[in-house]
Each structure stands twice: as C-alpha cells, then as structure tokens.
Amino acid sequence: MGARGALRSDVRDGRGEIAKAWSVVRAHLRESAGVRLFDQWLKPIELIEDDGVEAVRLALPSAFMSNWVSNHYADRLLQEFRALVPSVRTVSIETRSTTPQPATLRAESAEIAVLRPVPAAPAPAATAERPPLDARFTFDRFVVDASNRVAFNAARALAEPGVPRFSPLFLHSGTGQGKTHLMHAIGAAYLDAVPGAHVILMSAERFMFEFVQALRARDTHSFKARLRSADVLLIDDLQFIAGKDSTQEEFFHTINEVMGAGKRLVISADRCPQDLDGVEARITSRLSCGLVADIKAPDLTLRRAVLARKLADLPNVTVPQEVLDLLATRITASIRDLEGALNRVVAYSQLTGDAIDLEFAVATLGEVLRGAERRVTIDEIQKVVSAHFDLKPLELVSARRAVVIARPRQIAMYLAKRLTTRSLPEIGRKFGGRDHSTVIHAVRRIEELRDKDRDVDTAVRTLLHTLEG
C-alpha cells in the first residue's frame, strides 16, 4: 500500500475523520503548491471543528484570502477531502469573525462545492452581491509610467459612470505586472460612483467551476441570469479556460449578452487575444473589437517608484537607498515579486531585531535574488528536452504514450515544476491540455526513478545544467 493509501486507511479507521483528513490534505497542498504559495495563502487555513463528516468548514483570517482560496482551490479541496472521506459532500471557506459569535463563524462564508443539488433558502431581495475587492488595489495606489499608462487611463475611463466609451477592455501582461490591481480598482471606483451597481469580479477558473456546478445542479438559468445582469463584469486570467469547450461556449454567449446590453466588460490574460492558444477564434475576435491594452515589464524607474510607494505605507520603517537599489536592479520581472521582496526584508528585520542594511538584505533574499537572475520558461524546457532525446517538440505535447516519448514528457514536466513558478494546471495545459494530476504523477515518477535509474538521473542532471546555465 502506498503512502496515500496508508493515510486514507488511517483516516477511515479512527475517530475525527475530518481532522485527520485535513492534516493529509495540508501535506498534499504544500507539496503541489510549493512552499512560497502555500505559506502565503494555504497555511493560514484553519479547520472549524464539526461533528459531521458531510460538510467540511475551513476558515481564513480575511475575506480577501477566503475569496482567493475559493477561486483558486475550490475543486482541489473537495477532491482531496473526498479521496480520504467519501462521505464529504461540501467544503466551504469562511472568514474568521473578529468578535465572538454565539452560534457559528458563518459570516462572509463562500460555499465551495456541492456534489448534488441541495435546496437553499432564497437570499433576501435587497441583498446585493459584493465583489471580493481588495481595498489596497485602487487607482490612487497604482504607480503609473510609460509602461502601463495606456492600460491605467483606459481602466479609469471605463470606471466612469455614464455611457462607456468602449467595451470590452482587454488587459494583458506577464504575471505580477498590475492587471489584477486595475481590475479591482475599476470595480471599486465604479461602485463609489454608482453605489447600487451590480459588479461581478471572478477568475476564469471560478467562471468555469461555477458553470460546471450549475450544469450538475441543472440550474444554468440562475448562473446565466446572474452574470448577464452585471453592470460591470470583470473576468481575470482568461487563459485558464483554454481547451475547455463547454465553458468557452457559455463564456462566448455571456460576453455577447453583456456587450450587447451596453454593459462594461473587462477581461485580463497573460497574453494578447490573438496569442491565446486553445481559446476559440470567435471569442478572441469579440474581445479584440474593444480596447486592447498591454502592460509592459517595469523598467528601473518604475521599480524604484513602486518601492517608494510601498515604503510610504510602512510607518516607522527605514530602508537604506543601497538596499532599495539592490531590489530595483535585481528583481526585474514582476512588480508583485518586487513588493514581496521588500515585505520580506522588513518582516525579517522586525522579527529578528536586526537593522536593515545591504548585508542583511542579501542574506535574507538569497534564493530570491538567485531566482531572479534567470527565468526558465516551459517552452524553453520543452525545446531542450526534445533536443536531448532527439524528439520533435510537438511530440512532447501529443497524445502518444510510447515510453520513448512518455518518459521525456515526464522529465519535462518535472523540470517545469522545479524550474518555473507555473502552477500545476498551467504546466498541464502546456503539455497538450493534460490535467494537473498527470503533472503530479510525472513529478513523483521522475523523483522515484532518479533514486534507482542511473540513466534517468544522469539525463535530469544534464538538462538541469543546460537550463540553469
């Protein structure tokens, strides 16, 4: 029996099934998500003790975190719990209340998954849906320069009340450049101007998940009516619906309805519409008819301005200019990474009591600075692995399962997980639209083979040396 099977048996044999299952689920999440993402978003999750084994209740310290986990880990959490405790029917993410409540911690809860339709009490007619907007992401906190000025001005224009000058607005850039910030800012600014407006913000993954749930519950009418009644509809990370035919069909009709009604539509992705592989041409054509605005990688001037803006939000914190220069010159790919590096230096200083200087910053950010030196892409990994095994790059993403192709494909997935920051679903999509579980299996298989197969280990070492330069 494998480790997971033994754990599953342990969960079923004893009392406190959900509590035992949660410890196993946490371990799996940490392994698949990576230490950085796990520590930031998943580690704070707490299990709310309950006597039942059908409904799992989890809690996070803020509404923003609970919404993020709901949007990105909804189906994964349900699958993990059901694999260990088959009687689990639902998993919900809740926001921990800051004041004691005599009954439950249900405030601001977000239902994650329901396997069978369950009658629900109708919501009061006067209750308006509130989008999960982050209060930090506003227009006045967005640092503007030439690389993002068009996107910023377009976002502000679309957030103004009255007849929109254009719609849709399509924002695209690499990870961590400010797309999500602008989408939250649009929602917040429009609600300030039109307090009773119906604003919906969700990720494309959340769109797909809710649509599938509506299909299972045989209630697609409510799903369609809710989205198409929005005054402002914001869909983040469109690339995640690539290859999902039924989801794309519904997405196409949704954007058609929203645009046809003269409503505001904002879409973001990691590339321009024409470069969205696996997304239907009729969708990319419709999205291209509005305003397409890109956000370029931040230059040195913008990176320094971002750090200065971030420092203004940190009272009683002094960071020497040489440390700011180190961050601005070495961490170049992502604004999010840049802010994260500054947060880390400040937090370590406060926790250790050490003063912030250049030596302290280098010691604190050792692996971050090394990781920023060179970014390896999945495309590059596929090319190098194909050349090493004398294959065509297309064979790695094909459906062929012959060992001469399957093993190099597994090695390429293993390297993608180890050398890039891409999520498991993203890696799977880059290898012919495969599921994240296939990537997990490939990573674990190569790890096992490296311990007992000298040829595999040698190949991996050679490829790592080539890719890491």
Side-chain angles (χ1 to χ4, degrees):
M1 180 183 296
R4 186 181 182 113
L7 289 168
R8 184 184 295 114
S9 175
D10 177 65
V11 166
R12 290 176 178 169
D13 291 344
R15 298 179 63 186
E17 291 178 290
I18 300 301
K20 291 182 180 179
W22 175 229
S23 65
V24 178
V25 171
R26 281 176 63 89
H28 291 165
L29 290 176
R30 188 180 190 281
E31 179 181 355
S32 62
V35 175
R36 182 177 176 183
L37 188 150
F38 177 83
D39 286 347
Q40 182 175 359
W41 295 104
L42 305 176
K43 187 176 181 179
I45 300 176
E46 294 182 1
L47 174 67
I48 300 176
E49 291 295 341
D50 205 326
D51 294 333
V53 291
E54 292 189 355
V56 176
R57 296 172 57 206
L58 305 173
L60 280 153
S62 71
F64 178 66
M65 295 183 74
S66 62
N67 277 302
W68 190 93
V69 172
S70 296
N71 288 338
H72 292 80
Y73 278 86
D75 53 347
R76 175 64 184 277
L77 284 165
L78 181 62
Q79 291 170 5
E80 289 280 357
F81 273 106
R82 282 185 58 80
L84 297 167
V85 185
S87 59
V88 170
R89 293 176 56 244
T90 66
V91 176
S92 65
I93 290 289
E94 306 175 13
T95 303
R96 267 200 310 277
S97 175
T98 56
T99 57
Q101 297 182 30
T104 66
L105 291 171
R106 281 302 225 196
E108 300 183 63
S109 67
E111 189 74 8
I112 286 186
V114 181
L115 293 184
R116 299 190 298 274
V118 178
T127 301
E129 178 178 357
R130 298 293 299 178
L133 299 175
D134 189 326
R136 299 170 300 169
F137 294 160
T138 58
F139 284 127
D140 62 349
R141 297 175 64 83
F142 190 88
V143 182
V144 184
D145 84 337
S147 67
N148 56 31
R149 183 170 287 111
V150 171
F152 175 80
N153 289 337
R156 290 201 69 164
L158 196 67
E160 295 173 354
V163 178
R165 284 185 262 171
F166 53 85
S167 184
L169 170 61
F170 189 96
L171 301 170
H172 67 95
S173 75
T175 301
Q177 309 288 26
K179 301 186 301 294
T180 300
H181 186 140
L182 287 179
M183 297 186 81
H184 282 252
I186 291 170
Y190 193 78
L191 282 173
D192 285 343
V194 188
H198 185 198
V199 176
I200 296 179
L201 168 65
M202 63 169 57
S203 68
E205 282 186 308
R206 187 68 190 178
F207 179 98
M208 178 172 62
F209 173 74
E210 290 191 9
F211 176 59
V212 171
Q213 290 301 103
L215 286 175
R216 291 176 179 172
R218 299 181 181 179
D219 187 22
T220 57
H221 175 75
S222 297
F223 173 79
K224 295 177 181 179
R226 169 174 160 253
L227 292 187
R228 298 176 191 186
S229 67
D231 298 302
V232 182
L233 178 60
L234 306 112
I235 306 291
D236 203 5
D237 290 327
L238 180 65
Q239 67 272 10
F240 288 124
I241 67 169
K244 310 296 183 181
D245 293 341
S246 61
T247 300
Q248 290 191 40
E249 177 76 19
E250 179 56 33
F251 182 80
F252 175 74
H253 293 302
T254 296
I255 63 174
N256 261 351
E257 290 282 344
V258 172
M259 293 169 62
K263 306 292 187 64
R264 289 162 169 78
L265 175 66
V266 186
I267 307 293
S268 81
D270 62 357
R271 68 209 78 164
C272 68
Q274 294 77 14
D275 290 341
L276 287 169
D277 297 331
V279 176
E280 295 178 8
R282 59 177 177 167
I283 293 178
T284 58
S285 176
R286 290 293 279 155
L287 297 178
S288 299
C289 74
L291 177 60
V292 177
D294 70 326
I295 302 175
K296 298 178 176 63
D299 61 15
L300 181 60
T301 301
L302 178 59
R303 295 196 297 272
R304 283 175 168 159
V306 167
L307 290 173
R309 181 68 182 82
K310 184 70 177 177
L311 268 180
D313 296 332
L314 300 173
N316 305 318
V317 172
T318 301
V319 179
Q321 187 59 47
E322 60 180 357
V323 173
L324 296 177
D325 289 340
L326 171 73
L327 299 180
T329 56
R330 295 285 295 275
I331 302 177
T332 61
S334 164
I335 293 295
R336 185 179 300 145
D337 289 347
L338 184 64
E339 292 181 336
L342 178 61
N343 287 337
R344 181 170 178 172
V345 170
V346 172
Y348 273 51
S349 172
Q350 293 173 340
L351 291 170
T352 62
D354 295 334
I356 298 176
D357 57 21
L358 190 60
E359 182 179 357
F360 177 82
V362 170
T364 302
L365 298 173
E367 72 275 16
V368 175
L369 296 176
R370 287 191 295 271
E373 289 176 356
R374 185 170 185 271
R375 297 279 183 173
V376 179
T377 66
I378 295 178
D379 289 338
E380 184 179 2
I381 290 171
Q382 290 174 338
K383 290 177 183 178
V384 171
V385 171
S386 298
H388 181 86
F389 289 100
D390 196 22
L391 299 172
K392 297 178 180 178
L394 285 177
E395 290 182 294
L396 287 182
V397 302
S398 70
R400 294 183 60 187
R401 298 184 178 182
V403 175
V404 293
I405 295 174
R407 187 70 73 229
R409 182 188 298 132
Q410 289 179 329
I411 290 175
M413 289 181 179
Y414 168 84
L415 294 171
K417 175 65 173 65
R418 176 164 175 172
L419 299 178
T420 76
T421 58
R422 294 293 186 177
S423 67
L424 294 173
E426 287 179 295
I427 295 173
R429 279 190 290 273
K430 294 289 285 186
F431 284 86
R434 287 172 165 80
D435 188 76
H436 75 278
S437 60
T438 303
V439 181
I440 293 175
H441 171 74
V443 171
R444 291 175 176 171
R445 182 61 177 153
I446 297 305
E447 287 175 344
E448 293 172 359
L449 289 175
R450 290 194 67 184
D451 291 333
K452 58 186 179 183
D453 189 319
R454 181 176 298 176
D455 291 339
V456 170
D457 184 59
T458 299
V460 170
R461 288 178 182 274
T462 301
L463 290 164
L464 284 171
H465 178 75
T466 300
L467 290 164
E468 292 178 330

